[in-house]
Amino acid sequence: MKRYPLLVGALLTSLLPAAGLAKDKAPFTDSFPLAQCALSSVGSNPYFPLQPGRMARFNNFRCVAEGDCDEAEELVISVLEETREVTLLLDGVETTVATRIVEEVEMVDGQLAEISRNYFAECAATQDVYYFGEEVDLYEDGQLVGHEGEWLAGVDAARPGIIMPGGAFLLGARYFQEVAPGVALDRATHVASGLAVAVPAGAMENCVEVEETTPLDKKAVSTKRYCPGTGLVFDDGLELEFVSEP
């Protein structure tokens, strides 16, 4: 993998917990060097591929079959051919970024629960993948009931977060994935690497684990696992069943 030591090193160092601070007291990085990046709506981060036409299907059938789940869930993540332009200030300069739309469709017990359209772009030099916002449609009994969690960088003080750094996966790195005050403040902590993971889609090596939290709900904790070349394979009990490459 090509490395760019000055830019990559600066970002990765900023993602590490501050020296001398206990893990639960370490700050989460909330600003990133986007102005230094050539941002692209297509990317090749091995843990978060942005390839239009890619589709991945997840389910929790295993735990339902074993009686550990109350609901049958299915999630389909599609990297669409569509892009969306997002305009925001980067180092004080108004900048328009073409972001890739990644659609997530969640079903619960066969009923539509949520459709979200998420906006991502990758820094060409570093393979850092940044998150610029999302549209959210929530459903109950087939009816649209809300849009909780929607946000867009450049609107109401919202700023991009980072969804997956490029380069080395540094244990202990902590950063905001979303920076939308009062609306969306998901954070990530790198908690494990070198994992062997077996999901319905297959057995994989050298996988990593990320713990997600938010200051908006201190009881909310989510676990995700990513494998190189495949991306997300485990999302809080949902396991990768099938992936279709473009």
Side-chain angles (χ1 to χ4, degrees):
M1 183 181 298
K2 187 178 291 186
R3 299 296 303 277
Y4 296 80
L6 292 179
L7 182 55
V8 176
L11 176 58
L12 292 180
T13 298
S14 73
L15 295 178
L16 286 173
L21 291 176
K23 180 179 177 182
D24 61 346
K25 299 295 185 181
F28 288 85
T29 301
D30 64 359
S31 60
F32 309 96
L34 280 86
Q36 303 175 43
C37 288
L39 291 160
S40 173
S41 63
V42 177
S44 54
N45 183 307
Y47 295 111
F48 204 94
L50 281 181
Q51 299 298 326
R54 191 175 195 274
M55 184 273 287
R57 181 184 295 116
F58 299 78
N59 63 62
N60 67 340
F61 295 158
R62 188 182 314 195
C63 69
V64 169
E66 295 172 355
D68 294 334
C69 302
D70 295 328
E71 300 174 320
E73 297 181 55
E74 182 179 79
L75 173 67
V76 176
I77 301 177
S78 303
V79 183
L80 304 184
E81 299 288 345
E82 301 173 57
T83 60
R84 172 167 179 169
E85 291 189 344
V86 177
T87 300
L88 69 163
L89 292 178
L90 296 179
D91 283 0
V93 177
E94 186 173 282
T95 305
T96 297
V97 178
T99 66
R100 179 63 51 186
I101 300 178
V102 177
E103 182 182 71
E104 299 187 10
V105 178
E106 181 180 355
M107 307 287 290
V108 176
D109 289 336
Q111 297 291 317
L112 180 62
E114 179 176 339
I115 300 176
S116 65
R117 292 164 61 88
N118 305 272
Y119 312 128
F120 300 103
E122 182 177 290
C123 180
T126 64
Q127 293 188 324
D128 301 322
V129 181
Y130 290 99
Y131 192 14
F132 286 80
E134 64 176 318
E135 292 179 354
V136 180
D137 291 334
L138 302 175
Y139 294 84
E140 290 182 6
D141 299 323
Q143 300 297 314
L144 179 64
V145 296
H147 307 282
E148 184 179 354
E150 281 192 345
W151 68 283
L152 186 67
V155 177
D156 295 331
R159 295 180 283 113
I162 189 167
I163 199 70
M164 180 60 71
F169 183 88
L170 299 180
L171 292 180
R174 293 156 67 85
Y175 49 88
F176 275 89
Q177 299 170 312
E178 308 169 308
V179 190
V183 178
L185 292 170
D186 285 2
R187 309 172 299 190
T189 301
H190 292 182
V191 296
S193 61
L195 301 176
V197 174
V199 294
M204 304 174 201
E205 302 287 338
N206 298 317
C207 304
V208 300
E209 184 171 298
V210 175
E211 180 183 270
E212 296 183 355
T213 57
T214 173
L216 300 178
D217 182 355
K218 295 185 178 180
K219 295 182 180 180
V221 179
S222 176
T223 297
K224 290 183 169 65
R225 298 189 186 108
Y226 300 82
C227 298
T230 302
L232 183 67
V233 298
F234 179 90
D235 183 355
D236 252 3
L238 297 176
E239 298 178 310
L240 180 64
E241 175 190 11
F242 173 81
V243 61
S244 173
E245 301 291 351

